[in-house]
Amino acid sequence: GWLSSNDRDSWADARDELLKAGGAKMEAALEKLQSGALLLCLDDEDPISRKQCGEVFWTGGVTDGATSGHNRWFDKSVQLLCTNNGKAGLLGEHSMMDGMPVVGLADHITKTSYRVTQNKSFGLTNEGGDDIENIFQGFDLPTVDEHIANAKSHLNQLVGDHDLNVQSFQGYGSNYIKKAGFSPDAYVQMAIQLATYRLWGQQGATYEATQMRPFLHGRTETTRTVSPASAAFVKTMGPRPKHDESDEVARKEKLDLLRDAVGIHVKYITEAAKGKGVDRHFLGLSMMVEDGEEAPALYAHPVFARAKTWRVSTSHLTHKNFDNWGFGEVVSNGVGVGYAVKADCCVFNITARKEHQWTERLSHLLEEALLEMQILVEMDKAPSSRL
């Protein structure tokens, strides 16, 4: 498992060394491992919190110097994970596992009872487990030890350089947001905009994955959350709470700007889902540039490069049986925010490089933004007092 966690070149070299040292028996063992549709990983950890579970399921985690990183095969597209205390998760390799396939598989797993599974598998397996074997037993591979040590060191460094935090906001969820007249996803996107604006003092290019499954071979398009409308909203809300909700004029201005920003974002999502986004179009054009040809000047323009630097990478998946989900940031000076908007709560999985110390602060700022936005809605509904 350690070896598959390393960069592709190092792992390729280590694999060649494995085959050289282990011969035909090693080749057969690797083929058996690689031929499986998925991998079941039984971990020794006992995570309790969403943060602890997230760390174990994301990378194997590092706790007191120990990690389950060795108990993964990171080349595998789907890995099912189960800890010592019964916590379960799924690790999907992104080249094939977009959000909806993950949801579909996890939904099937969580809806299928043990009794149904047992009936379907009757006569197909040996209940005594005699068909289970250690396919890597009996190998003496001293020439691979250096590769393993290098991979282990690299993974521990990589995991140690990153931070993960979870904001489990219990104040309200999609039921409340819809009753207030907003799209739950777009509303939460504005909360993310306000929180990251307050984190950095400015907005960062924001990516929201939008499904294009109605199209043949369709995967995703980018919905860009930063817009003139979202900029007007976060700037009016300010770098910190103004506590001026009692001022009817100020409150109405903020609420109107929130409604405008949410409405524009819904429009952007709708267009992206119809294949009318810009990012996949630009990607397609860039892939048409042949070797030796020069790409159009636009692709080298600093503004174009900045617009493609996703400091805020976001994605929304909600399922009643999902406690949490997430992914890593996509640029070194950015954050990754996977979120779910459930009926009565919102859960955010926040990742970033540890050196920035952003995840805990962003978690607090998300809670602050959601509460502040709720105050705008509630005070707007409240009748004026008459003395």
Side-chain angles (χ1 to χ4, degrees):
W2 291 121
L3 297 175
S4 68
S5 72
N6 217 344
D7 66 84
R8 299 298 84 189
D9 290 340
S10 297
W11 170 210
D13 291 341
R15 191 177 189 282
D16 287 343
E17 190 61 41
L18 280 173
L19 293 172
K20 179 180 176 181
K25 184 179 178 184
M26 174 60 71
E27 185 175 5
L30 288 174
E31 176 59 29
K32 180 168 285 191
L33 177 60
Q34 293 162 180
S35 66
L38 51 81
L39 194 68
L40 174 62
C41 306
L42 304 178
D43 292 345
D44 294 328
E45 282 83 2
D46 295 288
I48 300 297
S49 68
R50 291 182 177 90
K51 173 179 169 62
Q52 291 173 330
C53 290
E55 289 171 341
V56 171
F57 296 152
W58 183 26
T59 61
V62 175
T63 305
D64 297 327
T67 173
S68 280
H70 67 283
N71 199 36
R72 304 284 183 270
W73 192 258
F74 289 105
D75 291 0
K76 189 62 66 178
S77 297
V78 181
Q79 299 184 77
L80 303 180
L81 319 170
C82 187
T83 64
N84 189 55
N85 60 343
K87 300 285 187 178
L90 184 156
L91 181 63
E93 196 282 304
H94 207 344
S95 63
M96 70 163 284
M97 292 303 288
D98 287 340
M100 293 314 295
V102 171
V103 169
L105 176 58
D107 180 70
H108 171 73
I109 293 171
T110 57
K111 285 183 176 178
T112 305
S113 68
Y114 288 113
R115 183 177 295 278
V116 170
T117 304
Q118 187 177 35
N119 290 339
K120 285 185 176 181
S121 62
F122 180 75
L124 298 179
T125 60
N126 185 328
E127 292 186 3
D130 294 337
D131 54 347
I132 298 175
E133 61 176 317
N134 183 349
I135 60 176
F136 291 107
Q137 191 171 19
F139 286 106
D140 184 22
L141 306 168
T143 58
V144 185
D145 288 347
E146 185 176 346
H147 289 283
I148 294 174
N150 174 267
K152 181 178 180 180
S153 175
H154 181 268
L155 179 62
N156 285 341
Q157 181 68 47
L158 185 66
V159 174
D161 285 345
H162 286 78
D163 199 14
L164 181 152
N165 207 299
V166 179
Q167 170 56 241
S168 179
F169 178 76
Q170 300 297 313
Y172 58 90
S174 62
N175 286 345
Y176 174 85
I177 297 171
K178 285 187 281 190
K179 286 180 181 178
F182 296 98
S183 155
D185 177 76
Y187 179 96
V188 170
Q189 279 286 326
M190 292 311 118
I192 295 172
Q193 284 300 295
L194 180 54
T196 51
Y197 171 74
R198 287 174 170 174
L199 179 67
W200 295 324
Q202 61 181 3
Q203 286 179 284
T206 304
Y207 176 114
E208 180 182 6
T210 300
Q211 294 293 325
M212 294 181 66
R213 290 284 163 181
F215 292 89
L216 181 65
H217 305 309
R219 294 192 64 171
T220 64
E221 175 57 281
T222 305
T223 295
R224 290 172 171 265
T225 312
V226 176
S227 66
S230 68
F233 169 65
V234 300
K235 288 177 181 177
T236 302
M237 294 295 284
R240 62 190 61 83
K242 297 178 181 179
H243 303 294
D244 59 354
E245 293 83 4
S246 296
D247 183 330
E248 186 176 353
V249 174
R251 182 178 71 248
K252 186 177 186 307
E253 180 187 16
K254 291 178 181 179
L255 195 55
D256 287 346
L257 289 172
L258 173 59
R259 293 193 186 283
D260 289 345
V262 168
I264 290 295
H265 191 72
V266 170
K267 179 182 176 182
Y268 285 1
I269 290 177
T270 303
E271 293 295 296
K274 292 178 180 178
K276 296 181 179 180
V278 298
D279 288 277
R280 298 300 178 265
H281 182 65
F282 281 131
L283 173 63
L285 291 175
S286 69
M287 294 177 69
M288 293 173 66
V289 178
E290 301 287 347
D291 290 342
E293 290 184 345
E294 187 173 340
L298 170 66
Y299 287 84
H301 197 286
V303 174
F304 184 82
R306 184 161 60 113
K308 298 280 288 183
T309 302
W310 305 114
R311 294 197 70 193
V312 188
S313 179
T314 74
S315 189
H316 174 196
L317 285 179
T318 297
H319 190 285
K320 64 179 181 179
N321 293 329
F322 293 3
D323 196 44
N324 184 31
W325 81 283
F327 49 88
E329 77 286 350
V330 298
V331 295
S332 60
N333 65 334
V335 295
V337 184
Y339 62 97
V341 189
K342 298 190 177 186
D344 298 307
C345 66
C346 303
V347 182
F348 302 85
N349 191 88
I350 307 160
T351 57
R353 290 188 62 84
K354 189 174 291 184
E355 64 189 275
H356 301 306
Q357 298 183 342
W358 283 339
T359 62
E360 185 175 358
R361 280 186 279 174
L362 183 54
S363 175
H364 171 82
L365 290 170
L366 283 166
E367 180 183 39
E368 178 182 84
L370 288 167
L371 290 173
E372 196 172 348
M373 290 160 68
Q374 182 186 28
I375 290 173
L376 293 178
V377 173
E378 290 298 308
M379 292 195 68
D380 189 66
K381 293 190 304 184
S384 301
S385 61
R386 296 182 181 181
L387 299 178

